[in-house]
Amino acid sequence: MSLTITPATSALKISSQFDSGNIHVLETTNPQDIQLSIRRDNQSDFFQWFHFRVQGAKNQPLNLRLVNAGEAAYVDGWPDYRAVASYDRETWFRVETLFEPAKGELVIQHTPAQNSIYFAYFAPYSWEQHLDLIGQAQQSPLCEVHDIGTTLDGHDLNLLKVSQHNPASDSAKAKQQIWVTARQHPGESMAEWCAEGFIARLLDQDDALAQSILDMADIYIVPNMNPDGSIRGHLRTNACGANLNREWESPTLERSPEVLAVRTLMQKTGVDLFLDLHGDEALPCNFIAGQEGAPHLPEAVLQQENRFKQNLAQVNPDFQLERGYPPGKFGPETFTIAAFWVGREFNCPSMTLEMPFKDYDNRPDADFGWSPERSIKLGESLLNPIYRWLQLKNSD
């Protein structure tokens, strides 16, 4: 018996009840004038992340209006931005997107070739992908998975410790302790894509550079610092509306257990080098924000950070040195931020790597823009400046 689909059941439908979904549907009657709004983070005024599904629009030109975009957290992020779309949730391509500042609206225009399509602010990195990443990493003899806490929504906070014991190369010097965290801001999903690349190369036992790093250092990685916000479809905060990257001076179990758990463990292991992976809404480039401008920053630490940036630029042309945040940008918030708190606490190089939501304008890609794949490759490239830093540390 064949199934006949009536027009009523094949009408255009928009939904977001899935991992990291975020949209309010206001009007869908006319495909050329679909009206949507982005939901705010819980107990917060932050919003910019969106992720939703459109069904029943095959071969129909769509005009999707995000009517509250002009009130978003980072309005400077909309000019020259293009949304991503996917049919299979694996390949995410860029689609025509316009920001109309006079109306305060972001307009996404696309004609789907298939009956089901997803749109998002950036390619999502789902909780299931995160669990797969943890599970796959654990299969390496170099990697241990540690449960270091529970979030406010009851999700696990996991840490990967990557290390090896090689008697033939162990030296009298103690190993360096290197920490990498990602996705304090959950909507910055490129951070976990980058962490995936970093982890994969670090665990590659055929990669001589990775193995040399592990001869000199133990690596601690938290691939997703904010599981609750990631699953809820937040831009910047956890379940209770706390911006984790403003909680480092005085985290609490009630408000920011994620930061408290990581900070407590750092104080046990010590930190010799710290990298925090993020995304930036406005700047169309990859850059590192170090501790320049922080009070009492030792010159030796500043030199190490500058050398790290230069070494990364030498191995990956997707990274640049000319643009970034001005020194002193964060003012009184400075030491509530992970990189500044860690740098002061441990007197070490401590840096924030920022990737774009937009395309990288020096090496644009008309089809995909800045993408998960390029984020992964940038993560792989981080091993090169880490190796150079370790060589210099061991020669002191």
Side-chain angles (χ1 to χ4, degrees), residues 60-249:
Q60 291 189 61
L62 298 179
N63 213 51
L64 303 152
R65 295 167 47 205
L66 277 60
V67 299
N68 64 342
E71 304 166 20
Y74 302 99
V75 177
D76 289 346
W78 297 134
D80 301 319
Y81 164 78
R82 291 182 298 150
V84 299
S86 178
Y87 297 111
D88 60 6
R89 301 196 300 168
E90 292 185 5
T91 300
W92 292 86
F93 54 91
R94 298 282 175 164
V95 295
E96 188 67 31
T97 308
L98 305 170
F99 179 56
E100 299 181 349
K103 295 181 179 179
E105 296 183 354
L106 188 76
V107 182
I108 301 171
Q109 299 174 329
H110 187 64
T111 301
Q114 299 178 22
N115 220 31
S116 173
I117 186 170
Y118 293 81
F119 295 92
Y121 187 30
F122 192 82
Y125 200 103
S126 74
W127 182 242
E128 287 300 314
Q129 283 177 276
H130 168 79
L131 294 177
D132 287 344
L133 175 65
I134 296 291
Q136 290 161 7
Q138 184 178 234
Q139 303 316 302
S140 168
L142 303 173
C143 182
E144 297 175 353
V145 175
H146 296 272
D147 176 50
I148 63 171
T150 304
T151 69
L152 295 174
D153 279 347
H155 294 108
D156 300 330
L157 188 65
N158 285 129
L159 171 140
L160 305 178
K161 181 182 178 183
V162 183
S163 62
Q164 71 177 1
H165 175 65
N166 185 351
S169 61
D170 283 349
S171 67
K173 288 189 176 182
K175 285 191 173 185
Q176 301 293 312
Q177 305 299 298
I178 298 175
W179 276 77
V180 178
T181 57
R183 216 167 170 190
Q184 288 200 77
H185 297 147
E188 298 167 13
S189 53
M190 63 284 289
E192 193 158 6
W193 288 109
C194 185
E196 178 183 307
F198 179 80
I199 292 164
R201 187 179 181 194
L202 191 63
L203 296 179
D204 183 353
Q205 292 182 279
D206 294 321
D207 190 312
L209 188 141
Q211 297 308 297
S212 296
I213 285 173
L214 295 177
D215 285 340
M216 297 182 277
D218 297 327
I219 317 289
Y220 303 85
I221 309 161
V222 184
N224 188 338
M225 283 280 294
N226 198 334
D228 295 352
S230 304
I231 293 167
R232 285 171 173 256
H234 285 188
L235 171 74
R236 200 163 174 86
T237 69
N238 70 356
C240 74
N243 177 353
L244 296 186
N245 207 28
R246 298 298 185 273
E247 293 284 315
W248 281 75
E249 208 157 34

Side-chain angles (χ1 to χ4, degrees), residues 140-377:
S140 168
L142 303 173
C143 182
E144 297 175 353
V145 175
H146 296 272
D147 176 50
I148 63 171
T150 304
T151 69
L152 295 174
D153 279 347
H155 294 108
D156 300 330
L157 188 65
N158 285 129
L159 171 140
L160 305 178
K161 181 182 178 183
V162 183
S163 62
Q164 71 177 1
H165 175 65
N166 185 351
S169 61
D170 283 349
S171 67
K173 288 189 176 182
K175 285 191 173 185
Q176 301 293 312
Q177 305 299 298
I178 298 175
W179 276 77
V180 178
T181 57
R183 216 167 170 190
Q184 288 200 77
H185 297 147
E188 298 167 13
S189 53
M190 63 284 289
E192 193 158 6
W193 288 109
C194 185
E196 178 183 307
F198 179 80
I199 292 164
R201 187 179 181 194
L202 191 63
L203 296 179
D204 183 353
Q205 292 182 279
D206 294 321
D207 190 312
L209 188 141
Q211 297 308 297
S212 296
I213 285 173
L214 295 177
D215 285 340
M216 297 182 277
D218 297 327
I219 317 289
Y220 303 85
I221 309 161
V222 184
N224 188 338
M225 283 280 294
N226 198 334
D228 295 352
S230 304
I231 293 167
R232 285 171 173 256
H234 285 188
L235 171 74
R236 200 163 174 86
T237 69
N238 70 356
C240 74
N243 177 353
L244 296 186
N245 207 28
R246 298 298 185 273
E247 293 284 315
W248 281 75
E249 208 157 34
S250 53
T252 65
L253 274 176
E254 295 74 23
R255 180 173 170 82
S256 46
E258 305 91 345
V259 173
L260 182 61
V262 171
R263 210 182 79 151
T264 299
L265 192 54
M266 281 179 166
Q267 289 170 321
K268 292 180 180 178
T269 66
V271 183
D272 297 299
L273 174 70
F274 174 55
L275 294 173
D276 191 22
L277 311 182
H278 283 259
D280 184 85
E281 289 79 6
L283 290 174
C285 57
N286 295 286
F287 62 97
I288 280 178
Q291 298 174 77
E292 188 176 2
H296 314 300
L297 175 66
E299 180 63 26
V301 171
L302 178 60
Q303 289 178 1
Q304 290 177 62
E305 292 183 350
N306 288 335
R307 191 180 300 118
F308 188 98
K309 291 186 257 186
Q310 292 162 4
N311 289 336
L312 181 55
Q314 288 173 358
V315 298
N316 192 329
D318 270 342
F319 183 77
Q320 58 83 53
L321 301 170
E322 290 73 29
R323 289 170 287 175
Y325 298 145
K329 168 183 170 69
F330 299 104
E333 292 185 319
T334 295
F335 291 111
T336 66
I337 294 170
F340 290 104
W341 183 87
V342 171
R344 182 184 64 178
E345 181 75 8
F346 299 100
N347 191 33
C348 70
S350 186
M351 296 165 282
T352 305
L353 172 64
E354 299 279 0
M355 289 162 277
F357 281 89
K358 304 177 183 181
D359 203 351
Y360 175 33
D361 57 0
N362 283 349
R363 299 187 67 247
D365 183 325
D367 294 325
F368 301 105
W370 186 252
S371 63
E373 293 76 16
R374 291 169 80 179
S375 302
I376 288 170
K377 291 297 183 184

